Amino acid sequence: MNAHSDSAAQADHPRSYLTFQDILETVSHEPGQGRLLEQIEKIVRVQQRERLHVVLSQIAEDQLLPVQVLLERDLPQKGKCNSAYNRFMIPSWKKYDDIYWQSLIDYMILALRTFKEIHFCANRGKLVLHYFDIPGGTPRIQDVIRKLVWLIDNGHLSVDFTRSRWMENWRHTVASMSREEVLTAAGILEIVPKLLLRPD
């Protein structure tokens, strides 16, 4: 079987079952947006989303009885230019540390993926969402939030590391440097000790 037909077979295969080698083969044969690492991340995110959906589907309704996520305001989406607007209150999360709220947002983005803006006020237990709904493909946001709150509260989802919390802090670190900046920094680190140790 040639490389093109291999790629077509992988495209038909569920992304949740792709190995890292399969992912590299997929991005080398399929058109994609963004840099190579971004394309790889998109495929991995699909896998993570599918696995999270499995976790969410296993939560029974009686487990969610103590969890309140109250919809305070709802403005529906208008076409493809004006996003929907939802405002929620999570009474049990009033004055929770920001790390919990940012983790909740990360998992919501993973589960539902169509958000434009998300804001929260931890002191008041408020969550405001602007998002584009996918007809027939998006679970009810209120239900997803309830399940995620329950999973986080009961230690089933990690809050150790969150993208939204750390991406701001990474802007001026090695992780955010371009290849040229890293090589320049490495060159400086190599030259400086030689200068310091050079006899006069």
Side-chain angles (χ1 to χ4, degrees):
M1 190 179 284
N2 62 34
H4 179 73
S5 56
D6 283 346
S7 176
Q10 287 166 7
D12 294 336
H13 205 261
R15 297 244 162 155
S16 57
Y17 296 106
L18 292 178
T19 65
F20 191 72
Q21 181 65 37
D22 294 333
I23 291 170
L24 292 178
E25 288 288 329
T26 301
V27 296
S28 68
H29 292 101
E30 291 183 7
Q33 293 177 313
R35 299 177 185 173
L36 178 62
L37 290 178
E38 291 170 344
Q39 293 179 46
I40 292 171
E41 183 183 7
K42 286 176 185 177
I43 296 174
V44 173
R45 293 283 284 179
V46 171
Q47 294 182 353
Q48 292 174 330
R49 182 173 296 118
E50 290 175 358
R51 289 170 187 156
L52 180 58
H53 285 171
V54 170
V55 173
L56 293 174
S57 68
Q58 293 172 344
I59 303 172
E61 186 61 34
D62 60 338
Q63 292 175 293
L64 295 174
L65 291 176
V67 181
Q68 279 192 313
V69 175
L70 309 175
L71 179 60
E72 290 194 331
R73 190 174 178 193
D74 177 24
L75 293 177
Q77 175 181 328
K78 292 182 180 177
K80 292 188 177 181
C81 58
N82 293 326
S83 56
Y85 171 92
N86 281 170
R87 187 169 68 203
F88 295 100
M89 180 171 180
I90 308 175
S92 61
W93 274 36
K94 277 186 182 179
K95 300 184 179 178
Y96 260 44
D97 190 281
D98 285 2
I99 186 174
Y100 288 91
W101 286 91
Q102 290 165 339
S103 297
L104 176 63
I105 287 169
D106 286 345
Y107 288 120
M108 286 169 58
I109 291 170
L110 178 61
L112 298 165
R113 89 185 167 199
T114 55
F115 291 107
K116 183 178 177 183
E117 291 180 57
I118 305 180
H119 306 282
F120 69 91
C121 177
N123 286 332
R124 299 171 64 200
K126 303 272 186 177
L127 185 66
V128 175
L129 316 176
H130 297 264
Y131 66 96
F132 288 94
D133 194 13
I134 300 176
T138 304
R140 213 166 65 105
I141 285 188
Q142 195 170 0
D143 295 336
V144 172
I145 296 172
R146 285 181 71 212
K147 291 180 178 181
L148 291 174
V149 166
W150 184 87
L151 287 167
I152 291 170
D153 276 344
N154 288 278
H156 298 296
L157 288 176
S158 172
V159 294
D160 293 341
F161 181 92
T162 61
R163 182 184 182 90
S164 58
R165 178 165 54 101
W166 286 103
M167 288 307 285
E168 287 295 316
N169 298 335
W170 278 19
R171 282 188 179 175
H172 305 294
T173 66
V174 173
S176 67
M177 288 183 180
S178 68
R179 182 173 180 272
E180 291 74 20
E181 290 171 328
V182 171
L183 290 174
T184 302
I188 291 170
L189 291 173
E190 185 179 347
I191 293 168
V192 168
K194 292 177 182 176
L195 292 174
L196 293 174
L197 294 172
R198 187 177 65 185
D200 291 333

